[in-house]
Amino acid sequence: MDVVASRLNSLPPPAWVVFDDLADPLQHNGRPWLMLLDGETIPTTLVAERPTLVVWSSLWASRPDARIRFDLEGPMDASVRWTLMVDPPIPGDEEMRRMGTRIGDLVFANLRYTYGQ
């Protein structure tokens, strides 16, 4: 698998709270955040090593090979790095930008808003 995009940002709760939300995105405890668009599928959690690592299967039906890795750290605000990996052929720049923007929107917008920010 090739790494095609990666971003680092922070979220307000500790890493273990973010881990729980990413490891089971449908268990939202009254805070739904994984709102899928047309052509997207519910990701399966492939790896979950509490509280530092979560790996999802693809969000996109058109790219079932894609994997999204979340590396987490921080006892207070969580430092969250997502990394998008795909098998060749590598998507074009526009598709990579769209995929990366979508991951960012889900995690650093939708999920962030559920924490009151």
Side-chain angles (χ1 to χ4, degrees):
M1 294 203 109
D2 294 320
V3 171
V4 295
S6 185
R7 298 288 180 276
L8 175 67
N9 208 331
S10 64
L11 291 172
W16 67 267
V17 173
V18 178
F19 172 90
D20 289 347
D21 288 329
L22 293 172
D24 190 358
L26 296 180
Q27 176 63 36
H28 50 72
N29 298 319
R31 299 180 294 109
W33 61 273
L34 185 68
M35 292 157 243
L36 301 176
L37 302 176
D38 289 343
E40 294 180 346
T41 61
I42 297 170
T44 300
T45 299
L46 303 173
V47 177
E49 296 175 7
R50 193 171 204 268
T52 60
L53 175 67
V54 175
V55 178
W56 281 357
S57 65
S58 182
L59 278 171
W60 303 278
S62 64
R63 287 303 301 236
D65 60 301
R67 298 291 176 265
I68 304 165
R69 176 185 173 114
F70 299 96
D71 292 287
L72 311 158
E73 59 182 61
M76 299 304 284
D77 290 358
S79 172
V80 180
R81 174 176 296 281
W82 61 257
T83 303
L84 175 61
M85 301 165 288
V86 297
D87 288 331
I90 302 301
D93 289 343
E94 184 177 325
E95 184 179 359
M96 281 193 307
R97 225 177 349 268
R98 180 185 57 78
M99 293 168 81
T101 297
R102 185 64 180 134
I103 298 166
D105 287 348
L106 285 172
V107 177
F108 300 130
N110 292 14
L111 184 55
R112 174 183 301 278
Y113 295 150
T114 71
Y115 300 134
Q117 295 218 336

